[in-house]
C-alpha cells in the first residue's frame, strides 16, 4: 500500500481535518490544528506531503521519525500539530486495513469507558452556576471552568475575591462531590498565583489547570506549596522532551497532552507511559473536533493512568451551527452515559467522518482567532 494524497479541510467552528488516501482505496482521517493557526498548520501538512506521498502508511513509527528528525528545525506547536494529524490518519488507515480499532493494535484496552468533563461558562467566569447545574442534570459528574479574567502580574484582592465568589456559586449549585476543575489558563502570574491557589483550597477542586504558563514550570512548586489541590498542565507542551521537565520537577500531578498538538497517538502513548513511571495521571486536552476526540479515546483505552477526558460537546468556543457530533455519519459512536463515554470499537479510530458534510462546510471555512485582551493600562494581557 502507498500513500497517494493528503487532503485538508478548513471547517467551522475552528477546526482542520486531514484525509490521507492510498492506492488501495483505504483512507484515514486526522485532525492537525492549532486553534487560531489552522491555515499555518495546513501549510505545514502539505509540506510534509513531500516526504509522505509514495510511502507505505503502515510504517507509522518510521514515518513519524522522518517527519520529526528529517527536519533540521523541529518541535513547537505548528510542526508537532501537523505531525499529530498525519499520525492520527496513519493509525486510522492501519486499523481499517486490519479491521481492528487502534487500541487493539496498541495492546488492547484496559478500560471500556472513561469519565468525561463538561466545560461551563465562557471566558469571563460570572453567572455560571446555572450552566453548571444544567450540565450535572445532563449526567456529567465533572465540570471545568475558567478561573480568571485578565490579571496583572501584581493585581488586586478584589479580583481574587471575585474569582472565589464565582467558584463558590458553582460549588453551591452542584454540591460537594461533583468534580470541579478550575483553569487559570496561564492568565495568572507567579505573585498572584500563590494567593489565588490558597483561596481556592476551600472548594476541594478536582484540579487547578495551568496555574502558571508552562515556561514557568520551575516556579509551580513554589506557588502551590502547602496546597492539596492537584496541579494539571500540558496543553502547551508538544513532545516527550517538553514533558520531561514537567515530570522531573515533580510538581505536576496530571498531564494534559493534546493528541492534535503533541505528535499524535504515537507520541502521546509514549508521554503517557513516561508519566506513569512518575505516578502522574493522564487527562488529554481536547477542546477540538470528533477526530481528535476519537484519537484521545484510543490512547485513554490503553493508558492505565488515564482518568478523565476533556471533550467539546456544547463548549462555548463552538458557538452555533457546528458542534462535536455534526461531522459524523453516526453521532452515537460517542455514547455518553453516567458521566462517561464509551471507547469506540470500530476499525481505526472507530468513527466514520461524513465527508459530504465536511466538503460542504469548507465553503464556510473559518479564520478563528482568540480574543486579544488588554489591561486597564493598555498593555497586552494573557488570554
Amino acid at each position: 500500500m502507498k500513500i497517494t494524497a493528503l487532503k485538508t479541510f478548513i471547517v467551522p467552528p475552528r477546526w482542520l481535518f486531514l484525509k490521507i488516501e492510498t492506492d488501495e482505496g483505504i483512507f484515514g482521517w486526522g485532525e492537525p490544528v492549532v486553534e487560531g493557526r489552522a491555515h499555518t498548520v495546513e501549510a505545514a501538512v502539505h509540506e510534509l506531503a513531500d516526504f509522505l506521498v509514495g510511502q507505505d502508511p503502515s510504517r507509522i513509527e518510521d514515518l513519524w521519525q522522518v517527519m520529526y528528525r528529517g527536519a533540521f528545525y523541529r518541535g513547537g506547536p505548528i510542526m508537532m500539530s501537523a505531525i499529530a494529524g498525519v499520525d492520527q490518519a496513519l493509525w486510522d488507515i492501519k486499523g481499517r486495513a486490519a479491521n481492528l480499532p487502534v487500541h487493539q493494535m496498541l495492546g488492547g484496552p484496559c478500560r471500556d469507558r472513561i469519565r468525561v468533563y463538561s466545560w461551563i461558562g465562557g471566558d469571563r467566569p460570572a453567572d455560571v452556576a446555572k450552566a453548571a447545574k444544567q450540565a450535572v442534570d445532563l449526567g456529567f459528574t465533572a465540570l471545568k471552568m475558567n478561573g480568571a479574567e485578565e490579571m496583572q502580574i501584581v493585581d488586586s484582592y478584589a479580583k481574587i475575591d471575585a474569582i472565589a465568589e464565582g467558584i463558590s456559586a458553582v460549588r453551591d449549585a452542584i454540591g460537594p462531590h461533583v468534580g470541579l476543575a478550575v483553569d487559570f489558563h496561564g492568565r495568572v502570574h507567579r505573585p498572584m498565583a500563590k494567593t489565588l491557589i490558597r483561596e481556592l483550597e476551600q472548594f476541594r477542586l478536582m484540579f487547578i489547570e495551568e496555574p502558571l504558563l508552562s515556561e514557568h514550570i520551575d516556579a509551580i512548586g513554589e506557588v502551590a506549596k502547602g496546597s492539596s489541590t492537584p496541579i494539571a498542565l500540558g496543553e502547551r507542551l508538544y513532545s516527550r522532551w517538553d514533558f520531561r521537565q514537567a515530570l522531573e520537577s515533580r510538581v505536576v500531578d496530571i498531564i494534559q497532552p493534546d493528541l492534535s498538538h503533541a505528535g499524535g497517538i504515537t507520541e502521546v502513548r509514549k508521554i503517557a507511559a513516561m508519566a506513569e513511571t512518575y505516578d502522574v495521571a493522564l487527562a488529554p486536552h481536547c477542546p477540538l473536533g470528533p477526530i481528535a476526540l476519537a484519537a484521545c479515546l484510543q490512547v485513554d483505552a490503553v493508558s492505565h493512568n488515564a482518568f478523565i477526558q476533556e471533550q467539546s460537546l456544547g463548549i462555548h468556543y463552538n458557538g452555533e451551527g457546528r458542534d462535536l457530533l455534526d461531522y459524523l455519519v453516526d453521532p452515537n459512536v460517542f455514547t455518553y452515559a453516567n458521566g462517561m463515554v464509551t471507547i469506540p470499537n470500530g476499525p481505526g479510530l472507530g468513527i466514520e467522518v461524513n465527508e459530504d458534510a465536511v466538503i460542504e462546510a469548507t465553503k464556510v471555512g473559518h479564520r478563528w482567532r482568540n480574543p486579544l485582551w488588554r489591561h486597564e493600562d493598555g498593555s497586552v494581557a494573557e488570554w
Side-chain angles (χ1 to χ4, degrees), residues 237-281:
L237 300 176
Y238 310 110
S239 71
R240 74 198 94 141
W241 296 279
D242 290 347
F243 276 93
R244 181 175 65 181
Q245 182 186 2
L247 294 170
E248 290 177 348
S249 72
R250 297 187 182 273
V251 298
V252 176
D253 304 294
I254 303 160
I255 59 163
Q256 300 170 300
D258 190 307
L259 270 288
S260 284
H261 300 336
I265 291 169
T266 298
E267 185 70 353
V268 174
R269 176 80 163 110
K270 297 173 183 178
I271 293 167
M274 285 174 59
E276 189 177 357
T277 67
Y278 287 87
D279 204 22
V280 168

Side-chain angles (χ1 to χ4, degrees), residues 26-74:
I26 299 173
F27 56 85
W29 289 89
E31 193 167 335
V33 68
V34 171
E35 300 91 308
R37 295 290 184 268
H39 292 81
T40 310
V41 180
E42 182 181 38
V45 168
H46 288 293
E47 288 176 338
L48 290 175
D50 295 344
F51 298 95
L52 297 169
V53 171
Q55 299 300 311
D56 178 355
S58 71
R59 293 174 57 87
I60 297 175
E61 182 66 32
D62 182 61
L63 292 177
W64 196 99
Q65 299 296 342
V66 166
M67 291 186 289
Y68 182 81
R69 298 184 189 277
F72 184 82
Y73 299 102
R74 59 188 66 169

Side-chain angles (χ1 to χ4, degrees), residues 93-165:
I93 290 170
K94 196 176 187 76
R96 290 172 184 271
N99 197 32
L100 289 171
V102 169
H103 60 70
Q104 286 290 355
M105 296 186 292
L106 294 174
C110 62
R111 59 175 53 82
D112 302 314
R113 64 194 66 84
I114 191 166
R115 193 182 186 193
V116 291
Y117 62 80
S118 176
W119 264 94
I120 55 170
D123 287 314
R124 300 184 179 274
D127 195 26
V128 294
K130 182 178 179 181
K133 183 64 167 60
Q134 290 172 340
V136 171
D137 290 343
L138 288 172
F140 288 100
T141 63
L143 312 172
K144 188 168 83 174
M145 61 184 289
N146 277 327
E149 301 174 302
E150 61 268 41
M151 291 193 76
Q152 270 283 13
I153 189 166
V154 176
D155 215 313
S156 68
Y157 277 90
K159 287 202 176 168
I160 298 289
D161 291 345
I163 292 167
E165 288 169 11

